[in-house]
Amino acid sequence: MDKGNKFYITTPIYYVNARPHIGHAYTTIVCDAVARRKRMLGYDTYFLTGTDEHGQKIERSATTAGTTPQKFADSVAAEFRALFEKMGISYNDFIRTTEPRHKQGAQELWKRLQEKGFIYKGTYTGQYCVHDEAYIDGAKPGDPCPDCGRITETVSEENYYFKLSAFADKLLKHYQQNPDFIRPETRRNEVIAFVKSGLRDLSVSRSTFKWGIPVPGDPKHVMYVWLDALSNYCTAVGLGSKDKEEQQKFDRYWPADVHMIGKEIIRFHAVYWPAFLMAAELPLPRAVIAHGWLLFEESKMSKSRGNIVRAESVIDVMGNDTLRYFLLREIAFGQDGSFSFDAVVQRYNSDLANDLGNLSSRTLTMINRYFGGSVPYPSPLVAKRDADDTIRDQAQRTIAEFNQLFDEYQFNRALESAWTLVASVNKYLVEQEPWIVSEKEGEENKARLATILYTAAEALRVVTALAYPVLPESAAKIWLQLGLGDITKFDLRELKWGQLPLGGKLGKVEPVFPRADKSTIERMQQMEQERKPAAAAQTSTATAPVPAGEGARPGQPATQAAHGPTEAAPAAKAAAPAAAAAPDGKISIDDFLKVEMRVGLVKHAEKVKGADKLLRLEVDIGSEVRQVVAGIAVAYEPEKLIGRKVVIVANLAPRKLRGLESNGMIVAASAGEDGKPVLASFLEDVPIGAKLK
Ligand SMILES: [Zn+2]
């Protein structure tokens, strides 16, 4: 079958342990822009997104929230869908890994791997990171996970293994023969180095929890979440279906043309996934493309930092197109990029309100005023100037340049190129002064005026067609104002200079990008703040606390882990140490600064005789070693605490517990209904004695 005309693009499926935020929006917007452009270029485009809903974390989160894993997943998946609807995302399919079509397809993939002899049974004991759902090679009991810093758990289980080790050479050969398989180059090099360092067989089943897809023929085991999740790219287009139409769909669309992902999951997509597919004798995706992280004012947005921005705060105030344009224009795709409300407003005002907005409104307004709303006929002989040809030539170059850059996923440079044309046309208008020409008498001046406005309008049309995938709502409006009808019907392959119908009637001309004033930033910040307490209220019942090890950082109050995902912690509440918080009472910064919190290292830990809940700790806080008695024995074994960094309130008056003097308090979140303590800790290394403020 000829597949030349199809284009299949996927986002990663989003894990329902986190609520949707701007990072999810970013990946999805990139895919949406690419998909819209491909449709406009005549491709039979299939755009897939969805949610990843299995795994121990979800099971635990649901238990903590007092609900079932399915209901838990249903509610978060619904939030993702609602956000994508609101953002106008043009996906063709939204897959959930708890759907029957997916389970059946994932099991089909498993059976193929097993039939081909790539799955076997073995026993494994090792350190496991629950957060990342991954075993940590070479870790010892009590060691933190190198990826996320959380303390690993010792797990021993009889598992099924996938013979990943058999694929190292084949993978390397594939990378070599397909230089565009992994992009950008830095990620490709990283993956090649990883594979060259040697691949070990991969444990692909779990028997320590139930929330997953049962292993065919051995339902005591569930499939490893990544094997489950990755297979969505095939199951969504019909792998494993008995239905004829679904099978045809699979033949039509598989392999995917692009898996778009964040750089942190490159290994799963560029090593494990192609190895699974090779083993199952299925074709490999054409490209895995990794984007960088969104930084919020220079630091990584993450749950543990509590600085995650929600897409809604931008789109409710400034519209979908503003967020799309900002993310694609501001960030060099593939690299990390910085997000701030300030920068969004600046970018909007300069590029959209000023540059494109001005070009559009003054050109169309003048055509209305001087030519009764009909596109004027440019007079090539009588009234032509070199400046007109310069714009025409630049527009033609821009079309070629934009197409090339966009297809290389250099969105920022593609947009830059289009906006260079916008700037040139604005300058052209200033220099040609159509408003002055309009005041002069005579046919020649009339012809000159027509030529200027035709040139500007035609350049506007070119830019609008190019920008549509990034600015679908505004481009559609400008297109209508140009009198050109439905922009989605336009065939982008045809785009060239000189297609604006002469004498064509303009639509109703209205400003598309009103200027944003200073209050815009405040409104976005306010929405962000308003959403936080609301989210906190929800998450206390709907989302689990972060696993042990996720905690505060300097400058971030340590107690916020108590409120589940830390993005949800309201500032006022978080500012008070657990023991001192008055219900809903806000305190001043001065009150907070009275509390001296320091980083300490546990030198010694033991149970307190006759007290089930208490541990006696000796904690080095830099200046001295303190004895602290802490009620954390239900959650922590003393030997596992030795060598661990904790946060202690260092200026509490000493008190006696079971006859032992306690000099300070260990900061811990109280998680779940039974108030299980979870120690505050850091993702980065912090020196002993460091003060929290
Ligand atoms: Zn981890």
Side-chain angles (χ1 to χ4, degrees):
M1 185 193 285
D2 173 29
K3 293 190 179 185
N5 189 37
K6 72 90 186 174
F7 184 78
Y8 178 24
I9 184 168
T10 68
T11 72
I13 47 174
Y14 301 115
Y15 203 30
V16 295
N17 205 40
R19 319 183 88 77
H21 56 68
I22 201 163
H24 303 114
Y26 178 44
T27 321
T28 312
I29 283 169
V30 169
C31 289
D32 187 68
V34 173
R36 282 175 189 271
R37 183 175 152 83
K38 289 290 179 181
R39 290 191 192 105
M40 221 177 170
L41 287 167
Y43 284 84
D44 169 12
T45 301
Y46 200 83
F47 170 16
L48 174 70
T49 187
T51 42
D52 176 9
E53 306 185 0
H54 288 130
Q56 189 167 19
K57 248 193 295 181
I58 304 303
E59 191 177 83
R60 286 186 181 179
S61 295
T63 308
T64 309
T67 185
T68 64
Q70 185 65 59
K71 281 188 183 148
F72 182 86
D74 287 348
S75 90
V76 184
E79 279 188 48
F80 274 97
R81 267 196 113 115
L83 175 64
F84 294 166
E85 296 292 335
K86 184 177 176 135
M87 287 167 57
I89 299 300
S90 65
Y91 61 79
N92 297 85
D93 193 359
F94 187 106
I95 189 157
R96 302 181 52 193
T97 56
T98 51
E99 285 178 79
R101 61 167 173 158
H102 172 74
K103 291 184 191 169
Q104 156 190 309
Q107 288 178 327
E108 169 67 24
L109 179 66
W110 179 284
K111 283 186 224 158
R112 290 195 193 186
L113 298 178
Q114 202 161 32
E115 274 161 23
K116 312 277 180 197
F118 290 107
I119 283 185
Y120 64 93
K121 215 169 187 180
T123 306
Y124 184 83
T125 302
Q127 294 309 115
Y128 186 73
C129 174
V130 174
H131 178 79
D132 294 318
E133 320 246 6
Y135 282 103
I136 310 302
D137 284 347
K140 295 184 295 295
D143 279 359
C145 164
D147 286 333
C148 71
R150 293 167 175 84
I151 303 299
T152 54
E153 297 182 11
T154 307
V155 174
S156 182
E157 52 181 328
E158 191 179 46
N159 279 340
Y160 287 95
Y161 282 83
F162 172 71
K163 279 189 196 165
L164 183 62
S165 57
F167 291 91
D169 290 343
K170 286 180 194 140
L171 286 167
L172 289 170
K173 195 171 159 208
H174 186 77
Y175 305 147
Q176 196 201 353
Q177 289 174 343
N178 300 275
D180 281 342
F181 178 64
I182 304 167
R183 280 178 269 177
E185 192 69 21
T186 46
R187 300 280 95 80
R188 176 180 144 83
N189 294 338
E190 184 186 304
V191 167
I192 290 175
F194 173 75
V195 174
K196 279 189 174 162
S197 75
L199 293 179
R200 290 167 51 173
D201 290 352
L202 188 68
S203 161
V204 285
S205 76
R206 299 286 182 268
S207 55
T208 49
F209 61 91
K210 291 261 158 273
W211 185 239
I213 298 177
V215 164
D218 194 353
K220 280 210 314 286
H221 292 259
V222 295
M223 288 167 60
Y224 172 48
V225 281
W226 272 103
L227 176 53
D228 166 352
L230 288 163
S231 67
N232 92 87
Y233 302 130
C234 285
T235 65
V237 288
L239 179 72
S241 176
K242 305 269 179 288
D243 184 275
K244 198 134 204 142
E245 260 177 50
E246 287 295 304
Q247 290 168 356
Q248 280 169 354
K249 191 162 143 192
F250 186 76
D251 291 339
R252 169 92 185 124
Y253 290 109
W254 191 257
D257 295 272
V258 172
H259 291 320
M260 189 73 71
I261 59 167
K263 66 181 179 182
E264 69 283 358
I265 50 176
I266 186 78
R267 190 180 296 176
F268 299 96
H269 282 81
V271 181
Y272 301 169
W273 179 230
F276 295 150
L277 290 168
M278 284 173 176
E281 293 174 16
L282 288 167
L284 268 49
R286 302 234 158 79
V288 176
I289 302 178
H291 64 71
W293 287 334
L294 276 187
L295 309 175
F296 184 71
E297 287 160 358
E298 304 307 319
S299 63
K300 189 191 173 213
M301 272 191 220
S302 71
K303 268 200 204 178
S304 54
R305 292 181 182 174
N307 64 349
I308 294 179
V309 173
R310 279 156 211 283
E312 291 94 324
S313 302
V314 180
I315 62 186
D316 284 354
V317 176
M318 306 208 62
N320 285 323
D321 282 4
T322 304
L323 180 61
R324 295 169 73 98
Y325 183 81
F326 175 82
L327 292 172
L328 291 178
R329 175 64 185 87
E330 190 85 5
I331 297 164
F333 185 74
Q335 297 169 25
D336 294 348
S338 203
F339 177 92
S340 73
F341 293 123
D342 242 356
V344 171
V345 172
Q346 268 183 38
R347 187 52 87 177
Y348 171 86
N349 274 339
S350 81
D351 293 15
L352 299 180
N354 266 356
D355 294 349
L356 183 58
N358 265 344
L359 172 61
S360 165
S361 67
R362 64 180 166 182
T363 302
L364 299 177
T365 304
M366 283 189 282
I367 292 177
N368 264 343
R369 187 176 304 152
Y370 306 135
F371 295 95
S374 295
V375 175
Y377 181 80
S379 172
L381 293 175
V382 189
K384 215 164 91 150
R385 304 268 164 85
D386 286 350
D388 313 336
D389 290 345
T390 305
I391 294 294
R392 180 200 62 201
D393 295 347
Q394 190 185 344
Q396 274 162 346
R397 277 199 314 276
T398 302
I399 294 169
E401 205 171 85
F402 185 98
N403 287 343
Q404 192 196 335
L405 291 166
F406 200 101
D407 290 343
E408 290 168 357
Y409 300 91
Q410 301 195 55
F411 309 115
N412 62 326
R413 293 189 56 207
L415 290 168
E416 191 181 5
S417 151
W419 259 253
T420 305
L421 175 61
V422 173
S424 297
V425 184
N426 277 328
K427 185 162 171 269
Y428 164 85
L429 285 174
V430 169
E431 287 167 358
Q432 301 304 318
E433 301 178 310
W435 40 88
I436 292 184
V437 178
S438 74
E439 287 167 2
K440 296 178 183 162
E441 299 290 321
E443 277 310 302
E444 200 171 318
N445 282 319
K446 187 86 179 166
R448 180 67 205 138
L449 182 62
T451 304
I452 298 167
L453 292 181
Y454 174 86
T455 303
E458 174 59 0
L460 173 65
R461 187 188 67 90
V462 167
V463 169
T464 305
L466 292 174
Y468 164 76
V470 180
L471 297 171
E473 292 172 10
S474 342
K477 284 184 199 162
I478 297 174
W479 202 255
L480 278 175
Q481 296 188 14
L482 279 163
L484 297 170
D486 180 357
I487 194 168
T488 63
K489 303 259 159 54
F490 181 71
D491 187 339
L492 197 54
R493 288 169 294 189
E494 307 281 307
L495 182 65
K496 57 174 193 260
W497 185 264
Q499 293 167 320
L500 187 62
L502 302 176
K505 268 288 186 199
L506 297 190
K508 188 161 184 260
V509 175
E510 283 167 326
V512 177
F513 304 108
R515 244 193 117 67
D517 61 23
K518 265 208 144 74
S519 76
T520 314
I521 297 173
E522 283 156 33
R523 275 188 290 148
M524 287 191 285
Q525 282 167 339
Q526 199 185 341
M527 298 203 76
E528 195 59 29
Q529 284 309 316
E530 280 166 7
R531 281 203 169 89
K532 283 186 180 179
Q538 280 171 18
T539 47
S540 65
T541 54
T543 312
V546 260
E550 168 130 33
R553 65 181 176 106
Q556 203 80 53
T559 49
Q560 62 184 20
H563 306 289
T566 49
E567 74 216 62
K573 217 172 184 177
D584 300 318
K586 295 190 179 179
I587 61 168
S588 72
I589 184 74
D590 291 330
D591 281 338
F592 172 66
L593 289 175
K594 287 178 194 159
V595 181
E596 188 195 338
M597 285 195 278
R598 287 192 182 276
V599 176
L601 180 75
V602 179
K603 306 286 282 185
H604 177 81
E606 63 183 18
K607 291 198 164 145
V608 174
K609 282 195 191 90
D612 289 345
K613 290 185 177 168
L614 294 182
L615 293 183
R616 186 183 80 83
L617 308 174
E618 288 172 24
V619 183
D620 183 352
I621 59 165
S623 50
E624 59 186 303
V625 176
R626 293 280 188 90
Q627 172 170 290
V628 177
V629 181
I632 55 173
V634 285
Y636 293 94
E637 285 165 31
E639 44 278 46
K640 286 197 179 166
L641 287 172
I642 295 168
R644 178 165 172 169
K645 283 179 180 163
V646 294
V647 173
I648 89 165
V649 180
N651 61 342
L652 271 186
R655 56 184 181 146
K656 281 209 165 169
L657 291 159
R658 297 269 165 165
L660 295 167
E661 186 174 276
S662 183
N663 267 302
M665 187 184 84
I666 305 273
V667 176
S670 171
E673 282 171 3
D674 50 7
K676 180 175 172 262
V678 179
L679 290 177
S681 59
F682 298 90
L683 294 181
E684 288 92 345
D685 198 21
V686 279
I688 295 164
K691 195 165 187 286
L692 279 76
K693 53 184 182 182

